[in-house]
Amino acid sequence: TQLLEQSPQFLSIQEGENLTVYCNSSSVFSSLQWYRQEPGEGPVLLVTVVTGGEVKKLKRLTFQFGDARKDSSLHITAAQPGDTGLYLCAGGEGDMRFGAGTRLTVKP
Amino acid sequence: GAGVSQSPRYKVAKRGQDVALRCDPISGHVSLFWYQQALGQGPEFLTYFQNEAQLDKSGLPSDRFFAERPEGSVSTLKIQRTQQEDSAVYLCASSPQATTSRSYEQYFGPGTRLTVT
């Protein structure tokens, strides 16, 4: 059972476009994490958000934690083919729960 | 530096066989986690350790699954009498922080892909 709902499930865009993916839950989390996973590899941590309303930027990626700490979004500006991958959000303490992920494809 | 390593990377088992999957965490990392990832899904929590203590095993799907970390470093996930529904990628992660930290960071290994035929 996954408590975190991610949308969209799949996203295919052209290089240079902007996109936003979402992570929603009915539960309050003390922190949420975003990971990117490529085929045959384990997830790689991108960012952790801990404060309601927090916005963090990582180059062209902008992460936001909802005020109520139940949801988060990831916005990518001017997407590049190297951004292709499975984007996962996760939350919890100890028993970390992951969403099913958004599979992003950026076409050149 | 060395990251989390897992072995074997691929394992094919016949239904009913026992398997053992190994995880070598980053040296000095306090916490260690096991996840199961089915095709097209996110990782599902199985169990975690703080040093040698198994603090939570609520995600283990049945009593056929057993994990240990006897010396607080290397961990082994054992699956007895494997069944087809056990086919998945098994991911191991380690963290330098205890899980009581609000923002502990997990570093994942590449996973072991288990196929039960």
Side-chain angles (χ1 to χ4, degrees):
Chain A
T1 303
Q2 293 183 311
L3 302 177
L4 291 163
E5 298 290 332
Q6 291 191 246
S7 60
Q9 188 177 356
F10 299 95
L11 187 57
S12 181
I13 61 171
Q14 292 295 132
E15 181 176 3
E17 292 183 2
N18 301 332
L19 67 113
T20 302
V21 299
Y22 301 92
C23 172
N24 295 291
S25 176
S26 57
S27 302
V28 175
F29 289 94
S30 59
S31 65
L32 277 180
Q33 299 180 335
W34 285 92
Y35 293 80
R36 187 167 77 101
Q37 185 177 23
E38 297 190 47
E41 301 293 329
V44 175
L45 180 66
L46 297 174
V47 77
T48 301
V49 285
V50 298
T51 305
E54 181 178 7
V55 176
K56 280 191 173 179
K57 293 191 175 183
L58 184 66
K59 297 183 180 178
R60 294 176 294 100
L61 279 60
T62 302
F63 304 85
Q64 184 162 7
F65 200 12
D67 291 341
R69 292 186 285 123
K70 292 183 178 181
D71 55 87
S72 182
S73 63
L74 159 60
H75 182 79
I76 302 179
T77 303
Q80 299 176 1
D83 295 327
T84 293
L86 178 67
Y87 288 83
L88 296 158
C89 67
E93 295 175 5
D95 57 340
M96 180 80 63
R97 305 295 176 175
F98 281 78
T102 292
R103 189 165 299 279
L104 172 65
T105 302
V106 182
K107 300 176 183 177
Chain B
V4 178
S5 61
Q6 294 187 243
S7 61
R9 288 294 311 273
Y10 303 91
K11 177 69 179 177
V12 179
K14 291 186 177 179
R15 187 164 59 90
Q17 282 184 335
D18 298 349
V19 298
L21 312 180
R22 177 186 169 107
C23 172
D24 285 79
I26 295 172
S27 178
H29 276 199
V30 169
S31 303
L32 185 146
F33 309 82
W34 284 100
Y35 295 88
Q36 180 190 61
Q37 187 172 24
L39 190 64
Q41 296 295 315
E44 292 268 8
F45 169 81
L46 294 178
T47 184
Y48 83 89
F49 295 82
Q50 188 165 302
N51 298 309
E52 69 277 4
Q54 189 174 18
L55 298 188
D56 188 335
K57 54 181 181 179
S58 62
L60 296 176
S62 77
D63 59 7
R64 296 186 296 104
F65 287 70
F66 172 76
E68 59 183 4
R69 194 187 186 199
E71 297 180 358
S73 55
V74 171
S75 178
T76 304
L77 176 67
K78 297 179 179 178
I79 309 174
Q80 297 177 324
R81 304 181 303 282
T82 53
Q83 300 179 7
Q84 284 192 315
E85 59 262 32
D86 300 334
S87 295
V89 174
Y90 290 85
L91 294 165
C92 174
S94 69
S95 174
Q97 299 105 349
T99 55
T100 49
S101 168
R102 282 180 76 191
S103 58
Y104 65 91
E105 300 175 347
Q106 293 188 82
Y107 297 84
F108 280 83
T112 295
R113 182 177 295 278
L114 173 65
T115 303
V116 182
T117 60

